[in-house]
Amino acid sequence: MNKEKKPVDFKVIHELTDVFIRKFSFEAEKYDDDGNISSAKDRKTGDILSFDCSYNTVEFSFGKESDLHVIYDRFKKYFTFTSDFLKENNHAITGMGINPYHEYNRNVPVPNGRYRMLLHHLKSYEKYRDLKHFHDIPNFGLLTCASQTHVDVSKNELTEAINTFNKLEPLKALLFSNSPMGEYLCARDHLWRESLHGLNPHNVDIFDKEIESVDELVSYIRSMSLYCLERDGHYINFAPTPLDIYFTSDLIQGEFYNGKGYEKYTFTPEIGDLDYLRSFKFVDLTHRGTLELRSVCEQPVGEILTSQAFHAGLKKNLGTLSVYLDDLHQIYGQAYTVGELRRMFVRKDLPDFVSKEELSAILTDLIDIAKEGLDRRGRDEAIFLEPLYRRAKKVLSPARETVEGRFQGRSLEYYIDKFGEL
C-alpha cells in the first residue's frame, strides 16, 4: 500500500525487487513485457519472490522443508527487509486477505501473457450471464491474497486426506477468515465461486461429495474445465470446457492477444494441454504429489504460520481428525452439505443451530488435535498454534476482529499496522 492513499508506485516495487534479489542471492526467472523482474528464485532453498497477478501483491513461496522453524527464519529475513524498504518509500505491507487500499490502487495485471490472458478471461463473464450468477468484480485476483499450504500425501491416504480436509473447511473459516467485504468475513470464497472460474462448479470450492477411490478422483478431475493454454508463444483463451468434452473435440475455437487486439485461433487438443488445467478447489491435488490447501486468507504477519502449523499437525494426526469430524453431529448432522456449511460460516452472522460456546469448544478441540500431531513430529512447532487458541476462545477470526473493532471506532489503519507487524 501507498501510505498516502495513492496508487502503489510500481517503480518502488521494481526497485525493491532488484535490491531484494541482490541481498538474498536470488536469480531472476521471469520478466514482464516491460523488462521488469516478475519472479526470482533461490536455487539453493527453492524459495521464490514473485507477484501474484499484480504488483500490488508480493508473494513469498518456500521450497519444501520438514521444519516450520526453518521456513519462519527465512520468512522473517525476507519480510523485514521488504517492510523496511517500503517504509523508506512511504509504502507498507500487511497481512490481509483483501488489499485494504485497493480502492486507491491501479488494479492492473502484471504485464505478461499469463495475467493478461487471465484478466481477459474473467472479464468475459458477460457472455455467460444466462448460465449462472456472477459478481461484477472480475479483477478480484488483483486485490486478494491467500496463505496456501502444501502437504505431502501418499496414494494410499489420498482419498482420506481429501475427504477429511474437505469436511474441515466450514470450521476453518471461523479461525482464518481475513477478507471482510459486505456480508462476508471470507469474501474470497464468494469472489472465486461467483466468477467465471465458477462457471463449472467442479473447478472451485468444496468437493460436494466424498471421494471413494483414486479412480473416482480421476473421474472428478475429468469433469473439470480447461479454459487456457499456450500455443505458438501465445496464451489462448477459450470457453471453459470439461476435459471429457475437450479431449473428444476435433477442434477448439479460442482467441489470443496479438499485441493490438484479440485474434481468433483454432487448434486441436493435445494431451499436454493438461498442464494448463487450473483447479481452484479448496483441497487440490497437485502435480508435485501434494495436497494444496488454498482456502485460507492471508494471515496477520505476526501469526503468519498459524495455518501451516495447523495443517501440518492435522495431517500428522489425520485419523484422529477424521473420527472427530465424523462424530461432530451438532455440525455435520444438520440438514446441510459441507459446502452449505462453509457458505454459512464465512458470513458475519453465525447460524443459529450451534452456539458460540459450542463452536469455541470445537475449535479448541481441533487445535488440540493439531498440537498432538505437531508434538509427534518432534520439532517444537506447536508454538505457532498459540494465536489460534486465542481466536478459538472468542470465535474471533482476524476478519471478525477487524469488523467488530471498526464498529467500535478503531480505524482501518490501526489494523493495517497491527496485521503488518512481525
Side-chain angles (χ1 to χ4, degrees):
M1 299 153 296
N2 186 329
K3 298 288 279 186
E4 298 178 5
K5 295 186 178 180
K6 295 178 180 178
V8 167
D9 185 344
F10 292 164
K11 290 182 180 178
V12 170
I13 304 305
H14 300 323
E15 290 172 7
L16 165 65
T17 305
D18 291 340
V19 297
F20 183 100
I21 66 173
R22 290 198 298 270
K23 169 72 174 178
F24 296 106
S25 300
F26 278 46
E27 297 178 18
E29 274 203 316
K30 297 178 182 178
Y31 294 83
D32 68 22
D33 293 348
D34 299 325
N36 298 303
I37 298 170
S38 59
S39 178
K41 186 173 185 176
D42 182 334
R43 298 294 177 188
K44 183 177 180 181
T45 64
D47 296 350
I48 297 173
L49 170 76
S50 60
F51 297 91
D52 186 31
C53 292
S54 162
Y55 284 119
N56 297 309
T57 304
V58 63
E59 182 170 26
F60 299 109
S61 308
F62 294 85
K64 183 182 292 191
E65 294 288 350
S66 59
D67 189 330
L68 288 172
H69 291 282
V70 174
I71 291 176
Y72 187 56
D73 287 344
R74 296 208 300 267
F75 172 78
K76 286 191 293 185
K77 293 176 185 177
Y78 301 157
F79 180 83
T80 300
F81 181 84
T82 300
S83 181
D84 288 348
F85 183 92
L86 291 173
K87 286 178 182 176
E88 291 174 3
N89 292 274
N90 210 25
H91 281 57
I93 184 173
T94 194
M96 292 182 170
I98 290 184
N99 191 313
Y101 278 8
H102 66 84
E103 64 185 294
Y104 308 117
N105 282 339
R106 286 189 298 129
N107 294 304
V108 295
V110 172
N112 62 25
R114 178 187 173 193
Y115 288 129
R116 184 184 300 111
M117 171 277 299
L118 177 59
L119 190 58
H120 176 70
H121 170 71
L122 291 171
K123 283 184 174 180
S124 68
Y125 71 97
E126 294 281 4
K127 300 177 183 177
Y128 306 92
R129 281 250 189 224
D130 59 332
L131 299 179
K132 76 178 295 290
H133 170 267
F134 295 98
H135 60 65
D136 293 312
I137 316 174
N139 66 345
F140 65 91
L142 312 180
L143 330 173
T144 55
C145 192
S147 179
Q148 297 167 343
T149 307
H150 287 263
V151 293
D152 288 330
V153 61
S154 68
K155 186 175 180 180
N156 290 338
E157 64 187 352
L158 177 58
T159 55
E160 181 188 12
I162 288 176
N163 291 330
T164 303
F165 279 121
N166 187 69
K167 194 170 185 178
L168 182 65
E169 287 296 342
L171 295 168
K172 274 171 53 180
L174 300 174
L175 287 173
F176 296 109
S177 291
N178 195 20
S179 55
M181 177 184 284
E183 64 192 288
Y184 298 101
L185 294 179
C186 182
R188 292 178 59 258
D189 286 21
H190 169 75
L191 292 172
W192 258 259
R193 184 176 58 251
E194 304 305 329
S195 75
L196 194 52
H197 284 323
L199 181 65
N200 181 345
H202 282 196
N203 279 56
V204 298
D205 226 86
I206 298 278
F207 283 95
D208 52 8
K209 64 185 295 292
E210 288 202 349
I211 302 297
E212 300 295 338
S213 65
V214 172
D215 286 343
E216 189 174 325
L217 177 60
V218 171
S219 178
Y220 193 99
I221 292 171
R222 291 210 319 258
S223 73
M224 292 179 176
S225 292
L226 195 67
Y227 67 86
C228 72
L229 48 75
E230 284 182 279
R231 284 280 200 280
D232 302 325
H234 299 289
Y235 268 95
I236 313 299
N237 274 113
F238 48 92
T241 307
L243 293 180
D244 273 339
I245 297 174
Y246 181 84
F247 283 113
T248 56
S249 301
D250 293 328
L251 295 172
I252 299 289
Q253 177 75 59
E255 60 183 358
F256 72 95
Y257 186 72
N258 63 15
K260 297 180 180 179
Y262 284 87
E263 183 177 326
K264 292 188 182 302
Y265 187 97
T266 302
F267 62 94
T268 300
E270 300 173 0
I271 193 62
D273 299 343
L274 275 174
D275 290 344
Y276 297 91
L277 177 64
R278 296 289 182 264
S279 164
F280 301 96
K281 305 297 290 183
F282 291 159
V283 182
D284 192 19
L285 178 65
T286 77
H287 67 273
R288 297 178 177 89
T290 64
L291 284 185
E292 185 176 10
L293 307 166
R294 46 187 306 138
S295 68
V296 173
C297 298
E298 183 55 73
Q299 297 299 287
V301 174
E303 303 175 358
I304 197 68
L305 288 188
T306 49
S307 172
Q308 286 69 33
F310 186 68
H311 288 127
L314 293 178
K315 173 59 172 59
K316 189 67 173 180
N317 211 3
L318 193 64
T320 300
L321 173 63
S322 180
V323 170
Y324 181 82
L325 295 179
D326 285 345
D327 290 341
L328 206 56
H329 301 299
Q330 64 266 53
I331 301 296
Y332 302 104
Q334 304 295 322
Y336 304 107
T337 65
V338 175
E340 289 169 335
L341 289 170
R342 172 79 184 192
R343 289 192 282 278
M344 291 177 183
F345 286 174
V346 298
R347 295 174 183 268
K348 292 178 181 177
D349 296 328
L350 294 171
D352 57 12
F353 60 77
V354 61
S355 70
K356 191 173 181 180
E357 290 73 23
E358 287 178 300
L359 289 174
S360 176
I362 290 168
L363 295 176
T364 301
D365 287 344
L366 291 173
I367 302 165
D368 284 343
I369 294 171
K371 181 180 183 302
E372 184 180 291
L374 291 177
D375 289 344
R376 285 166 50 194
R377 282 165 56 88
R379 298 182 177 90
D380 194 28
E381 297 164 317
I383 189 173
F384 294 112
L385 295 176
E386 289 181 3
L388 296 185
Y389 282 109
R390 295 194 294 272
R391 296 183 194 180
K393 185 176 182 179
K394 297 182 178 180
V395 193
L396 195 69
S397 66
R400 191 173 295 281
E401 178 186 350
T402 302
V403 169
E404 292 183 2
R406 294 293 306 280
F407 182 76
Q408 294 167 5
R410 289 198 185 275
S411 68
L412 176 60
E413 284 66 33
Y414 170 83
Y415 291 101
I416 289 172
D417 292 341
K418 180 179 180 181
F419 290 178
E421 293 175 355
L422 186 60

